[in-house]
Amino acid sequence: MHVEKGIMKTIFNFSIIALIWSIYYLAKRITGNILTNVDIAVCGSVIVFCVSSIVYYIYKHLSGRKDD
């Protein structure tokens, strides 16, 4: 159980960093007027993964506190 929490915490931290980087990258490409469909597809999938991981971690964290 402890290992799972450690892995989830690592994925949560990675997701925060990747989400910030993806938003920054998209903004940079949009401002430079060089955004491509590949950028949208890759960054979009990373953003979806990050947001779902963050929501899952928060849900698990809050549901675990109710049991205590």
Side-chain angles (χ1 to χ4, degrees):
M1 187 71 131
H2 179 67
V3 174
E4 182 181 323
K5 285 185 180 184
I7 291 171
M8 284 306 301
K9 179 92 173 160
T10 303
I11 291 173
F12 175 76
N13 290 335
F14 170 77
S15 294
I16 295 290
I17 293 169
L19 181 65
I20 292 169
W21 179 83
S22 295
I23 292 171
Y24 164 76
Y25 181 81
L26 281 176
K28 185 174 72 165
R29 300 285 285 193
I30 288 170
T31 343
N33 209 16
I34 53 174
L35 186 65
T36 65
N37 290 336
V38 175
D39 293 332
I40 294 170
V42 171
C43 288
S45 61
V46 169
I47 289 171
V48 167
F49 172 78
C50 292
V51 169
S52 61
S53 297
I54 292 167
V55 168
Y56 178 77
Y57 177 82
I58 290 172
Y59 171 75
K60 287 299 234 180
H61 185 71
L62 291 178
S63 66
R65 285 188 172 219
K66 289 180 184 175
D67 293 339
D68 289 340

